[in-house]
Every structure is written in C-alpha cells, then in structure tokens.
Amino acid sequence: MENEMFICVRCQGRFPMYECYEVSGDLLCPGCADTLTVNCDSCGTRIYAADDAGDEHYTLCESCRENRFVACENCGRLVPDGEAYYLPGADMPLCEYCYENAVDTVAIHDYNFKPEPIFHGEGTRYFGVELEIDHGGKDRDNAQELLEVANENAINLYIKTDGSLDDGLELITHPMTLDYHMNTMPWGEVLERALDLGYTSHKAYTCGLHIHISRLAFGSSYEQQETAIARLLYFVEKFWSELLRFSRRTRNQLDKWAARYGMKLHPMDILDDAKRYNFGRYMAVNLTNAHTVELRIFRGTLKLNTLLATLQLVNHLCDVSVFLSDQEIQELSWLDFLQQIYEPELIQYLKERSLYVNDPVTADEEE
C-alpha cells in the first residue's frame, strides 16, 4: 500500500496516498490544498476557502458558524456564543465593543444588572448606597438627568428598576469611602434634582435606603471578618429599639423587608444561627452577598442630612464591631455608644429622633 497513488481532483496530478488531503469528499494534493482550502478556527476541519462561513475575524465551517457563533446585532461581527454580551432586558447578542458603547447610553438598567465595581477613595472600608425613590416615573430622561448630576466628574452612580416600587427608580453607588461620600459624591445635588423631578422616598411607603459594607472593612482574614460581623449582629439586636427609631421604619416594614435574627447571649451565637437557618436577604443585616454585608433597616430619604447621618452611623457600627471585644460590646450601653459620636450631621439627626443625650430638636420634614 506504500506505493498507492491518487489523482488530485483539481490538478489531475498523481500523488502518493500519504500526501492526500480529503476536503468535502474530494482528494487534493498538498499544493491544491494549500491554495484552495483553509482550516476552521473552531473545530479545525479543513474546508474550501470558498465555503468559509466566517468573517474577517474567524474562519469557520458552516456547522461551527451555525452552532457555536452568533452575530453582533449592531455591527455583524461574529462572536463565540459564550462570549456574547446582552443589554439588560434584551436578547440581542452584541460584541464587546458594541456592548460597551451601548451600556454608556443606557440610563435605566434592569434589576439584575451588576457592573464591575469602581472603588472611590483609599482604604478597605467602602460603603455602597442603594437609595429607592418613587412616584416620579420610570423615565429615561429623568434617569439621565440624575446620572449627569451624579457622574459629572466620575462614574459614581448607576440606576436600575425595582419591582417593589410603584413608579420609581433605584439609585446605586459604586463602593465609596465615607470621606468620598461626604466630600466628593454630589449627594446634595442628586437629592435636590430628584425632588425637582417629583420623586419622593421617605414619604413613599415602598422605599428603602440600604448600605452595603465591604467585608474587608471587618478585617483582612475570614476569621477576623466573621467575629466582627457577629458583633455587628449583636449590636443590632441589642439596640433594636434605638435603631428602629433611627431607621424611620415601622415594625411591620422591618418584619417584611429587614427582619431580626433574634437576640442571643453571645455574638457568635447569632451569626451561627443566621448561617444555620439561611434566613435569606430580607433581614436587617443581609449576609447573603459574597463581598459585602448589607444593612437594610433604613427608610429611604431625599434629605441630605439624614442620608449623611445614616452613613456616619454605619461607620460607627463598623468601629464598635471591629475594635471592641465581645465582652466590651456586651457591656456597651447606648450612652456609651453616643460618647464616640462627634459628627454634626449625625448628632443633629440623633437629636431629631430623640436618641441623643440632649433635648430633641425640631426637624425639617423628611422627603
């Protein structure tokens, strides 16, 4: 069989069988194969160049083009099926370039949208705010106005829909240090614009203010994080009445959206129970996220001082969770906790809610 020959269907030359290339049932010599054929980039099959079903980026056989690739709906470029991008709420595949350009023009994303986080400020203690606003419309122009205010100098905020709202939006910040929230993030302008557009938050029964805390804020190791988070849960349970007043929520609202785990003798007992019974995310302290711990107890607000005071309170909760021992937090009183507070925004708000040591003060109406 070593001397067996074949005739190339193209040039009609005779060649040894071991030099044969079979393409679509045809026998080709090496020269004709090099001239007339290509290999599929996906499966490696040799096909006639004239039958290439790919584009300028991929050489493909018909089967791979049909089963393994999709065409970008915008520019037509072929994309491996597992690497295509989709805009929120759409089923049209896009290449990476067209997706990135399209995302920049999307004002309102769907509920499941989650961009790559952009961290603002230096450190490991980052806070992400989710602020729900309602009754002003799920309106793209409104959302675009809010984004222009919030993102004038940096990408600080994105906006999503939320099924719990009647006719509103959810404003979500990228992770920020407290200093960035206080001094760089244009919260005052954002809240004022939301009010001008007819939105409410505190006045809408539907709205919450959720604060995500980076897990690294509780320590660099898993063990440090767990013990500090246990103390956070203990603090929330121990001072539930004070935090309920601070939150501006009703008990029924908290039972529905931010329920208690239940008080235990030791901080770690609460955390152990939380893990054992898998309560889900509708808890006062949501532990279901991989990289953050979420405080869900606060009612929404469009009042700047209330928003800043809430962030300052959360920062103090981190302090007591990280820097106090289990025994110290068990012995801590509310007055002891207040002695660590110095921020004028937080002191003002605590007085408004009759939670400070001095006489309460008259508060402006919440929005």
Side-chain angles (χ1 to χ4, degrees), residues 333-351:
S333 70
W334 183 253
L335 289 178
D336 293 333
F337 176 66
L338 293 179
Q339 289 178 4
Q340 310 303 315
I341 292 172
Y342 58 88
E343 301 90 341
E345 297 86 358
L346 181 52
I347 291 174
Q348 169 72 18
Y349 181 78
L350 289 168
K351 289 181 177 181

Side-chain angles (χ1 to χ4, degrees), residues 124 214-232 267-268 271 275 293 318 320-324 326:
T124 57
S214 56
R215 279 191 68 101
L216 284 174
F218 297 103
S220 57
S221 70
Y222 179 78
E223 291 75 15
Q224 290 173 335
Q225 292 170 13
E226 290 290 277
T227 55
I229 291 169
R231 288 192 283 267
L232 173 64
M268 192 56 71
L271 181 59
K275 292 181 176 180
V293 171
C318 291
V320 297
S321 302
V322 171
F323 299 120
L324 297 187
D326 283 4

Side-chain angles (χ1 to χ4, degrees), residues 148-184:
E148 288 173 0
V149 172
N151 298 338
E152 181 178 4
N153 297 314
I155 301 176
N156 295 315
L157 186 79
Y158 58 97
I159 296 177
K160 300 198 306 187
T161 59
D162 191 314
S164 68
L165 304 177
D166 293 329
D167 193 23
L169 304 168
E170 183 175 18
L171 313 183
I172 305 172
T173 72
H174 285 276
M176 301 172 178
T177 61
L178 178 62
D179 179 71
Y180 192 95
H181 275 292
M182 297 293 298
N183 299 308
T184 304

Side-chain angles (χ1 to χ4, degrees), residues 60-101:
L60 299 172
C61 67
E62 189 65 39
S63 176
C64 288
R65 166 65 182 83
E66 194 69 27
N67 298 307
R68 299 183 180 181
F69 282 73
V70 293
C72 173
E73 289 287 339
N74 185 52
C75 70
R77 176 175 179 170
L78 293 177
V79 184
D81 192 32
E83 298 177 15
Y85 292 80
Y86 296 86
L87 290 172
D91 58 2
M92 298 183 301
L94 297 174
C95 67
E96 182 177 9
Y97 177 81
C98 290
Y99 173 79
E100 289 179 350
N101 281 278

Side-chain angles (χ1 to χ4, degrees), residues 234-267:
Y234 188 90
F235 184 99
V236 170
E237 294 296 334
K238 180 175 183 178
F239 297 111
W240 184 257
S241 295
E242 289 83 358
L243 292 176
L244 173 64
R245 180 182 289 273
F246 189 102
S247 74
R248 291 166 290 109
R249 292 279 203 184
T250 66
R251 290 187 183 275
N252 287 339
Q253 287 175 324
L254 288 184
D255 287 343
K256 182 177 181 179
W257 302 111
R260 302 178 68 172
Y261 288 107
M263 188 58 173
K264 301 290 182 182
L265 186 60
H266 300 288

